Amino acid sequence: MNIKIQDLKILPNFLCNRIKNVPFILAHSLTYKCNLKCKICEFYKKNNKNELKLDEIFKMLDDAKKMGMVYYIITGGEPLLNDNLAEIVEYAKKLGFRTSIITNGILLKDRIKEIRKFIDVITVSIDGPNHIHNKIRNSNIAFKKAIEGLIEAKKNGIKVKIASTICKININYIKQIAGLAKKNSVPVIFQPMLGYSKHLKKIELNNFELIKYVKEVYWLKKNKYPVINSSYALLSILNHKPFYKCYFPNHTISIDPEGNVIECLNSTNLNIKYMSFRDIFKSEIYKKFLKKSKSCKHFCRLNCATEFNGIYTFKYSELLHFLIS
């Protein structure tokens, strides 16, 4: 059982924030800029005109620390495109955050030495073997760069994970993705793609494909592949019962590049440049978000809902699984 002391140290914060009904995870889309135009994502099309300045990000982190948040997850777009990334993660680390970056890996090998001292976990997105990953990513070099970055991050002593988004294009390559993770001695977490636009709906898994996906991921997990999806979440999807109330806004506050609070995939007019986190959590807009999430009937199957449900509702096995993975 691979649980580090620093992982156990977050438990008091988690329990305290759970009681106060305050998120313990700060997820920050640092930018929507990206060096790829993937078939499974349309964030690169979004506006990037007014991204948070460095001092505004520092202020946000200070405020998050005061509220007892312990995880700082940086997403994108592609966060490694931000020139100030090293300063940001260094500042977060000095405040005591557990830091994590989700990246396509294109720039990881080149920038790893800048950030290695300040990052706890790097998640590299890999969606298939060479030809499938490159097809999804619309790039001839995406797979090569992702693997090179993953290997380099491991060499620098950073915990690395693979995240794989499953759609119609790669539904038949799940075992190969898990095999790739096994070959490189890193864990992998799978997630079905959410079709949040007309284009993405065309490649979203249908119900038959979803069941096939869950069965295969569950089988791989039971047969010693390094799959870190929880059995609890997988079996609940397989049984197709909305086993959970969505607690996403209870455990995570998500901030877009301009500082707006994100309600699922949509930005709100709550902005950390003009409001403290305390005021945001007290606002009617956020309270409505909490209420709406718990009664959500969409059953989106995204990991932010499914994987965290067991943790937030104090299921021992899921909390243990979270600390390990």
Side-chain angles (χ1 to χ4, degrees):
M1 190 177 295
N2 185 24
I3 300 179
K4 297 180 180 179
I5 297 298
Q6 59 183 341
D7 295 319
L8 292 173
K9 285 180 179 178
I10 66 103
L11 282 176
N13 295 74
F14 165 71
L15 293 171
C16 182
N17 280 27
R18 174 67 177 83
I19 293 167
K20 294 188 298 182
N21 202 24
V22 173
F24 65 99
I25 299 171
L26 171 60
H28 179 202
S29 295
L30 190 57
T31 182
Y32 284 140
K33 295 173 187 173
C34 195
N35 43 15
L36 293 174
K37 295 182 179 180
C38 303
K39 296 182 189 297
I40 56 173
C41 176
E42 295 187 343
F43 283 179
Y44 67 88
K45 297 179 181 179
K46 292 192 174 187
N47 176 32
N48 283 281
K49 290 182 179 178
N50 299 301
E51 292 180 4
L52 292 175
K53 297 180 177 65
L54 188 60
D55 63 321
E56 292 170 332
I57 294 173
F58 287 171
K59 180 184 175 185
M60 174 185 72
L61 289 168
D62 287 336
D63 194 24
K65 180 65 177 178
K66 288 177 186 176
M67 293 301 294
M69 297 183 212
V70 290
Y71 281 94
Y72 180 46
I73 302 174
I74 304 176
T75 66
E78 176 47 53
L80 290 173
L81 288 172
N82 188 295
D83 293 335
N84 297 318
L85 180 62
E87 292 177 77
I88 292 167
V89 291
E90 180 179 9
Y91 191 82
K93 203 64 192 161
K94 285 180 178 177
L95 289 175
F97 282 97
R98 293 279 284 153
T99 55
S100 175
I101 290 177
I102 301 173
T103 173
N104 60 33
I106 298 289
L107 298 173
L108 187 53
K109 184 177 180 181
D110 296 333
R111 297 203 64 186
I112 191 65
K113 286 182 170 57
E114 297 175 54
I115 61 175
R116 61 184 177 183
K117 293 180 181 178
F118 317 115
I119 292 291
D120 294 297
V121 181
I122 292 178
T123 302
V124 182
S125 299
I126 298 178
D127 301 315
N130 193 341
H131 70 292
I132 293 297
H133 181 76
N134 287 348
K135 179 180 179 180
I136 291 173
R137 300 283 161 174
N138 280 315
S139 166
N140 293 325
I141 63 168
F143 183 82
K144 178 177 179 289
K145 289 288 188 180
I147 295 298
E148 286 177 352
L150 182 154
I151 292 170
E152 196 65 26
K154 282 190 68 183
K155 284 181 181 178
N156 280 272
I158 300 172
K159 185 175 182 178
V160 182
K161 296 191 289 186
I162 289 175
S164 191
T165 302
I166 304 302
C167 64
K168 290 183 184 296
I169 301 170
N170 61 352
I171 181 67
N172 295 318
Y173 296 90
I174 295 172
K175 187 175 182 180
Q176 289 188 43
I177 298 167
L180 182 70
K182 192 173 186 178
K183 177 183 176 182
N184 286 279
S185 301
V186 296
V188 58
I189 188 163
F190 293 93
Q191 176 170 274
M193 191 206 75
L194 179 64
Y196 59 84
S197 73
K198 187 176 181 180
H199 162 70
L200 295 179
K201 280 287 183 186
K202 295 177 182 177
I203 57 173
E204 186 178 30
L205 300 180
N206 59 35
N207 287 335
F208 174 79
E209 291 165 331
L210 182 69
I211 296 302
K212 176 184 177 181
Y213 150 80
V214 174
K215 285 183 175 179
E216 186 161 5
V217 173
Y218 185 70
W219 184 89
L220 290 166
K221 183 177 180 68
K222 291 301 178 183
N223 284 275
K224 309 303 180 184
Y225 283 82
V227 174
I228 56 173
N229 296 73
S230 71
S231 298
Y232 171 78
L234 289 169
L235 290 175
S236 298
I237 297 173
L238 187 62
N239 295 330
H240 197 72
K241 57 181 182 181
F243 66 106
Y244 60 85
K245 293 179 180 178
C246 178
Y247 290 103
F248 173 73
N250 296 81
H251 58 67
T252 300
I253 182 162
S254 187
I255 304 296
D256 77 10
E258 296 183 352
N260 300 302
V261 175
I262 301 173
E263 183 179 311
C264 290
L265 293 171
N266 302 309
S267 295
T268 68
N269 61 2
L270 300 173
N271 192 295
I272 52 90
K273 287 191 285 189
Y274 314 113
M275 301 175 70
S276 67
F277 281 119
R278 187 178 299 279
D279 290 337
I280 287 170
F281 300 144
K282 288 181 178 179
S283 70
E284 288 303 312
I285 292 175
Y286 205 82
K287 287 177 182 177
K288 286 179 181 178
F289 183 24
L290 292 170
K291 187 175 181 181
K292 186 164 64 174
S293 297
K294 290 186 183 69
S295 59
C296 180
K297 304 298 182 185
H298 185 57
F299 194 43
C300 67
R301 308 172 184 98
L302 295 182
N303 291 339
C304 56
T306 59
E307 292 292 337
F308 277 92
N309 177 264
I311 299 164
Y312 200 77
T313 53
F314 292 110
K315 288 182 172 57
Y316 170 76
S317 62
E318 293 307 294
L319 187 55
L320 189 64
H321 174 268
F322 174 67
L323 289 172
I324 294 170
S325 61

CSV table of all heavy atoms in Angstrom, one decimal, residues 223-259:
chain,number,residue,atom,x,y,z
A,223,ASN,N,-7.5,-7.7,-13.6
A,223,ASN,CA,-6.5,-8.5,-14.1
A,223,ASN,C,-5.1,-7.8,-14.0
A,223,ASN,O,-4.2,-8.1,-14.9
A,223,ASN,CB,-6.8,-9.0,-15.5
A,223,ASN,CG,-7.8,-10.1,-15.5
A,223,ASN,OD1,-7.5,-11.2,-15.4
A,223,ASN,ND2,-9.1,-9.7,-15.7
A,224,LYS,N,-4.9,-7.0,-13.0
A,224,LYS,CA,-3.6,-6.5,-12.6
A,224,LYS,C,-3.0,-5.4,-13.5
A,224,LYS,O,-1.8,-5.2,-13.5
A,224,LYS,CB,-2.6,-7.6,-12.3
A,224,LYS,CG,-3.1,-8.7,-11.4
A,224,LYS,CD,-3.5,-8.2,-10.0
A,224,LYS,CE,-4.0,-9.3,-9.1
A,224,LYS,NZ,-4.5,-8.7,-7.8
A,225,TYR,N,-3.8,-4.9,-14.4
A,225,TYR,CA,-3.3,-3.7,-15.1
A,225,TYR,C,-3.4,-2.5,-14.2
A,225,TYR,O,-4.3,-2.5,-13.3
A,225,TYR,CB,-4.2,-3.5,-16.4
A,225,TYR,CG,-3.9,-4.4,-17.5
A,225,TYR,CD1,-4.4,-5.7,-17.6
A,225,TYR,CD2,-3.0,-4.0,-18.6
A,225,TYR,CE1,-4.1,-6.6,-18.6
A,225,TYR,CE2,-2.7,-4.9,-19.6
A,225,TYR,CZ,-3.3,-6.2,-19.6
A,225,TYR,OH,-3.0,-7.0,-20.6
A,226,PRO,N,-2.6,-1.5,-14.4
A,226,PRO,CA,-2.5,-0.4,-13.4
A,226,PRO,C,-3.7,0.6,-13.6
A,226,PRO,O,-3.4,1.9,-13.7
A,226,PRO,CB,-1.2,0.2,-13.7
A,226,PRO,CG,-0.9,0.0,-15.1
A,226,PRO,CD,-1.5,-1.4,-15.4
A,227,VAL,N,-4.9,0.2,-13.6
A,227,VAL,CA,-6.1,1.0,-13.8
A,227,VAL,C,-6.5,1.6,-12.4
A,227,VAL,O,-6.7,0.8,-11.5
A,227,VAL,CB,-7.2,0.2,-14.4
A,227,VAL,CG1,-8.5,1.1,-14.4
A,227,VAL,CG2,-6.9,-0.2,-15.8
A,228,ILE,N,-6.6,2.9,-12.3
A,228,ILE,CA,-7.0,3.5,-11.0
A,228,ILE,C,-8.4,4.0,-10.9
A,228,ILE,O,-8.8,4.6,-9.9
A,228,ILE,CB,-6.0,4.6,-10.6
A,228,ILE,CG1,-5.9,5.7,-11.6
A,228,ILE,CG2,-4.6,4.0,-10.3
A,228,ILE,CD1,-5.0,6.8,-11.2
A,229,ASN,N,-9.2,3.7,-11.9
A,229,ASN,CA,-10.6,4.0,-11.8
A,229,ASN,C,-11.1,3.1,-10.6
A,229,ASN,O,-10.7,1.9,-10.5
A,229,ASN,CB,-11.4,3.6,-13.1
A,229,ASN,CG,-11.0,4.4,-14.2
A,229,ASN,OD1,-10.0,4.3,-14.8
A,229,ASN,ND2,-11.9,5.3,-14.6
A,230,SER,N,-12.0,3.6,-9.8
A,230,SER,CA,-12.5,2.8,-8.7
A,230,SER,C,-13.5,1.8,-9.1
A,230,SER,O,-14.4,2.1,-10.0
A,230,SER,CB,-13.1,3.7,-7.6
A,230,SER,OG,-14.3,4.3,-8.0
A,231,SER,N,-13.5,0.6,-8.6
A,231,SER,CA,-14.6,-0.4,-8.9
A,231,SER,C,-15.9,0.1,-8.5
A,231,SER,O,-16.9,-0.2,-9.2
A,231,SER,CB,-14.3,-1.7,-8.1
A,231,SER,OG,-13.0,-2.2,-8.4
A,232,TYR,N,-16.0,0.9,-7.5
A,232,TYR,CA,-17.3,1.5,-7.0
A,232,TYR,C,-17.9,2.3,-8.1
A,232,TYR,O,-19.1,2.1,-8.5
A,232,TYR,CB,-17.0,2.4,-5.8
A,232,TYR,CG,-18.1,3.3,-5.3
A,232,TYR,CD1,-19.1,2.7,-4.6
A,232,TYR,CD2,-18.1,4.6,-5.6
A,232,TYR,CE1,-20.1,3.6,-4.1
A,232,TYR,CE2,-19.1,5.4,-5.1
A,232,TYR,CZ,-20.1,4.9,-4.4
A,232,TYR,OH,-21.1,5.7,-3.9
A,233,ALA,N,-17.1,3.2,-8.8
A,233,ALA,CA,-17.7,4.0,-9.8
A,233,ALA,C,-18.0,3.2,-11.1
A,233,ALA,O,-19.0,3.4,-11.7
A,233,ALA,CB,-16.7,5.2,-10.1
A,234,LEU,N,-17.1,2.3,-11.5
A,234,LEU,CA,-17.3,1.5,-12.7
A,234,LEU,C,-18.5,0.7,-12.6
A,234,LEU,O,-19.3,0.6,-13.5
A,234,LEU,CB,-16.1,0.6,-12.9
A,234,LEU,CG,-14.8,1.4,-13.4
A,234,LEU,CD1,-13.6,0.4,-13.3
A,234,LEU,CD2,-14.9,1.9,-14.8
A,235,LEU,N,-18.7,0.0,-11.5
A,235,LEU,CA,-19.9,-0.9,-11.3
A,235,LEU,C,-21.2,-0.1,-11.3
A,235,LEU,O,-22.2,-0.6,-11.8
A,235,LEU,CB,-19.7,-1.7,-10.1
A,235,LEU,CG,-18.7,-2.8,-10.1
A,235,LEU,CD1,-18.5,-3.5,-8.8
A,235,LEU,CD2,-19.0,-3.8,-11.2
A,236,SER,N,-21.1,1.1,-10.8
A,236,SER,CA,-22.3,1.9,-10.7
A,236,SER,C,-22.7,2.4,-12.1
A,236,SER,O,-23.9,2.4,-12.4
A,236,SER,CB,-22.1,3.2,-9.8
A,236,SER,OG,-21.8,2.8,-8.5
A,237,ILE,N,-21.8,2.7,-13.0
A,237,ILE,CA,-22.1,3.0,-14.3
A,237,ILE,C,-22.6,1.8,-15.1
A,237,ILE,O,-23.6,1.8,-15.8
A,237,ILE,CB,-20.8,3.6,-15.1
A,237,ILE,CG1,-20.4,4.9,-14.4
A,237,ILE,CG2,-21.1,3.8,-16.5
A,237,ILE,CD1,-19.1,5.4,-15.0
A,238,LEU,N,-21.9,0.6,-14.8
A,238,LEU,CA,-22.3,-0.6,-15.5
A,238,LEU,C,-23.8,-1.0,-15.1
A,238,LEU,O,-24.5,-1.4,-16.0
A,238,LEU,CB,-21.4,-1.7,-15.0
A,238,LEU,CG,-21.6,-3.1,-15.7
A,238,LEU,CD1,-21.3,-2.9,-17.2
A,238,LEU,CD2,-20.6,-4.1,-15.1
A,239,ASN,N,-24.2,-0.7,-13.9
A,239,ASN,CA,-25.5,-1.0,-13.5
A,239,ASN,C,-26.5,0.0,-13.9
A,239,ASN,O,-27.7,-0.1,-13.7
A,239,ASN,CB,-25.6,-1.2,-12.0
A,239,ASN,CG,-24.8,-2.4,-11.5
A,239,ASN,OD1,-24.7,-3.4,-12.2
A,239,ASN,ND2,-24.3,-2.3,-10.3
A,240,HIS,N,-26.0,1.1,-14.5
A,240,HIS,CA,-26.7,2.2,-15.0
A,240,HIS,C,-27.8,2.8,-14.0
A,240,HIS,O,-28.9,2.9,-14.3
A,240,HIS,CB,-27.4,1.9,-16.3
A,240,HIS,CG,-27.8,3.2,-17.1
A,240,HIS,ND1,-26.9,4.0,-17.7
A,240,HIS,CD2,-29.1,3.7,-17.2
A,240,HIS,CE1,-27.6,5.0,-18.2
A,240,HIS,NE2,-28.9,4.9,-18.0
A,241,LYS,N,-27.3,3.0,-12.8
A,241,LYS,CA,-28.1,3.7,-11.9
A,241,LYS,C,-27.4,4.9,-11.4
A,241,LYS,O,-26.2,4.9,-11.0
A,241,LYS,CB,-28.5,2.7,-10.7
A,241,LYS,CG,-27.3,2.1,-10.0
A,241,LYS,CD,-27.8,1.2,-8.9
A,241,LYS,CE,-26.6,0.7,-8.1
A,241,LYS,NZ,-27.0,-0.3,-7.0
A,242,PRO,N,-28.2,6.0,-11.3
A,242,PRO,CA,-27.6,7.2,-10.8
A,242,PRO,C,-27.3,7.1,-9.3
A,242,PRO,O,-28.1,7.6,-8.5
A,242,PRO,CB,-28.6,8.3,-11.2
A,242,PRO,CG,-29.9,7.6,-11.4
A,242,PRO,CD,-29.5,6.2,-11.8
A,243,PHE,N,-26.3,6.4,-9.0
A,243,PHE,CA,-26.0,6.1,-7.6
A,243,PHE,C,-25.6,7.2,-6.7
A,243,PHE,O,-25.5,7.2,-5.5
A,243,PHE,CB,-24.8,5.0,-7.5
A,243,PHE,CG,-23.5,5.6,-8.0
A,243,PHE,CD1,-22.5,5.9,-7.1
A,243,PHE,CD2,-23.3,5.9,-9.3
A,243,PHE,CE1,-21.3,6.4,-7.5
A,243,PHE,CE2,-22.1,6.4,-9.8
A,243,PHE,CZ,-21.1,6.7,-8.9
A,244,TYR,N,-25.3,8.3,-7.4
A,244,TYR,CA,-24.7,9.4,-6.6
A,244,TYR,C,-25.5,10.7,-6.8
A,244,TYR,O,-26.2,10.9,-7.7
A,244,TYR,CB,-23.3,9.7,-7.1
A,244,TYR,CG,-23.2,10.1,-8.5
A,244,TYR,CD1,-23.4,11.4,-9.0
A,244,TYR,CD2,-22.9,9.1,-9.5
A,244,TYR,CE1,-23.3,11.7,-10.3
A,244,TYR,CE2,-22.8,9.5,-10.8
A,244,TYR,CZ,-23.0,10.8,-11.2
A,244,TYR,OH,-23.0,11.1,-12.5
A,245,LYS,N,-25.4,11.5,-5.8
A,245,LYS,CA,-25.6,13.0,-6.0
A,245,LYS,C,-24.3,13.6,-6.4
A,245,LYS,O,-23.3,13.2,-5.9
A,245,LYS,CB,-26.2,13.6,-4.7
A,245,LYS,CG,-27.5,13.1,-4.3
A,245,LYS,CD,-27.9,13.7,-3.0
A,245,LYS,CE,-29.3,13.2,-2.5
A,245,LYS,NZ,-29.7,13.8,-1.2
A,246,CYS,N,-24.3,14.5,-7.3
A,246,CYS,CA,-23.1,15.1,-7.8
A,246,CYS,C,-22.6,16.1,-6.7
A,246,CYS,O,-23.3,17.1,-6.5
A,246,CYS,CB,-23.2,15.7,-9.1
A,246,CYS,SG,-21.7,16.5,-9.7
A,247,TYR,N,-21.4,15.9,-6.2
A,247,TYR,CA,-20.9,16.7,-5.2
A,247,TYR,C,-19.7,17.6,-5.7
A,247,TYR,O,-18.9,18.1,-5.0
A,247,TYR,CB,-20.4,15.9,-4.0
A,247,TYR,CG,-21.5,15.3,-3.1
A,247,TYR,CD1,-21.8,14.0,-3.3
A,247,TYR,CD2,-22.2,16.1,-2.2
A,247,TYR,CE1,-22.8,13.4,-2.5
A,247,TYR,CE2,-23.2,15.5,-1.5
A,247,TYR,CZ,-23.5,14.2,-1.6
A,247,TYR,OH,-24.5,13.6,-0.9
A,248,PHE,N,-19.6,17.7,-7.0
A,248,PHE,CA,-18.5,18.4,-7.6
A,248,PHE,C,-18.3,19.8,-7.0
A,248,PHE,O,-17.1,20.1,-6.6
A,248,PHE,CB,-18.7,18.5,-9.2
A,248,PHE,CG,-17.6,19.4,-9.8
A,248,PHE,CD1,-16.3,18.9,-10.0
A,248,PHE,CD2,-17.9,20.7,-10.2
A,248,PHE,CE1,-15.4,19.7,-10.5
A,248,PHE,CE2,-16.9,21.5,-10.8
A,248,PHE,CZ,-15.7,21.0,-11.0
A,249,PRO,N,-19.3,20.7,-6.9
A,249,PRO,CA,-19.0,22.0,-6.4
A,249,PRO,C,-18.7,22.0,-4.9
A,249,PRO,O,-18.2,23.0,-4.3
A,249,PRO,CB,-20.2,22.8,-6.7
A,249,PRO,CG,-21.3,21.8,-6.9
A,249,PRO,CD,-20.6,20.6,-7.4
A,250,ASN,N,-19.0,20.9,-4.2
A,250,ASN,CA,-18.7,20.8,-2.8
A,250,ASN,C,-17.2,20.5,-2.6
A,250,ASN,O,-16.6,21.0,-1.6
A,250,ASN,CB,-19.5,19.6,-2.1
A,250,ASN,CG,-21.0,19.9,-2.2
A,250,ASN,OD1,-21.6,19.7,-3.2
A,250,ASN,ND2,-21.6,20.4,-1.1
A,251,HIS,N,-16.6,19.6,-3.4
A,251,HIS,CA,-15.2,19.3,-3.2
A,251,HIS,C,-14.2,20.0,-4.1
A,251,HIS,O,-13.1,20.1,-3.8
A,251,HIS,CB,-15.0,17.8,-3.4
A,251,HIS,CG,-15.4,17.2,-4.7
A,251,HIS,ND1,-14.7,17.5,-5.9
A,251,HIS,CD2,-16.4,16.3,-5.1
A,251,HIS,CE1,-15.3,16.8,-6.9
A,251,HIS,NE2,-16.3,16.1,-6.4
A,252,THR,N,-14.7,20.6,-5.2
A,252,THR,CA,-13.8,21.3,-6.1
A,252,THR,C,-14.4,22.6,-6.6
A,252,THR,O,-15.6,22.7,-6.9
A,252,THR,CB,-13.6,20.4,-7.4
A,252,THR,OG1,-13.0,19.2,-7.0
A,252,THR,CG2,-12.6,21.2,-8.3
A,253,ILE,N,-13.6,23.7,-6.5
A,253,ILE,CA,-14.0,24.9,-7.2
A,253,ILE,C,-13.1,25.0,-8.4
A,253,ILE,O,-11.9,24.9,-8.4
A,253,ILE,CB,-13.9,26.2,-6.3
A,253,ILE,CG1,-14.4,27.4,-7.1
A,253,ILE,CG2,-12.5,26.4,-5.7
A,253,ILE,CD1,-14.8,28.6,-6.2
A,254,SER,N,-13.7,25.3,-9.6
A,254,SER,CA,-13.0,25.3,-10.8
A,254,SER,C,-13.0,26.7,-11.4
A,254,SER,O,-14.1,27.4,-11.4
A,254,SER,CB,-13.7,24.4,-11.8
A,254,SER,OG,-13.0,24.3,-13.0
A,255,ILE,N,-11.8,27.2,-11.7
A,255,ILE,CA,-11.6,28.6,-12.2
A,255,ILE,C,-11.2,28.6,-13.6
A,255,ILE,O,-10.2,27.9,-14.0
A,255,ILE,CB,-10.6,29.3,-11.3
A,255,ILE,CG1,-11.1,29.3,-9.8
A,255,ILE,CG2,-10.4,30.8,-11.7
A,255,ILE,CD1,-12.3,30.0,-9.5
A,256,ASP,N,-11.8,29.5,-14.5
A,256,ASP,CA,-11.4,29.5,-15.9
A,256,ASP,C,-10.2,30.5,-16.0
A,256,ASP,O,-9.8,31.2,-15.0
A,256,ASP,CB,-12.5,29.9,-16.8
A,256,ASP,CG,-13.0,31.3,-16.8
A,256,ASP,OD1,-12.3,32.2,-16.2
A,256,ASP,OD2,-14.0,31.6,-17.3
A,257,PRO,N,-9.6,30.6,-17.2
A,257,PRO,CA,-8.4,31.5,-17.3
A,257,PRO,C,-8.6,33.0,-17.0
A,257,PRO,O,-7.6,33.6,-16.6
A,257,PRO,CB,-8.0,31.3,-18.8
A,257,PRO,CG,-8.6,30.0,-19.2
A,257,PRO,CD,-9.8,29.8,-18.4
A,258,GLU,N,-9.8,33.4,-17.0
A,258,GLU,CA,-10.1,34.8,-16.7
A,258,GLU,C,-10.5,35.1,-15.3
A,258,GLU,O,-10.7,36.2,-14.8
A,258,GLU,CB,-11.2,35.4,-17.6
A,258,GLU,CG,-10.8,35.4,-19.1
A,258,GLU,CD,-11.9,36.0,-20.0
A,258,GLU,OE1,-13.0,36.2,-19.5
A,258,GLU,OE2,-11.6,36.2,-21.2
A,259,GLY,N,-10.5,34.0,-14.5
A,259,GLY,CA,-10.9,34.1,-13.1
A,259,GLY,C,-12.3,33.8,-12.7
A,259,GLY,O,-12.7,33.9,-11.6
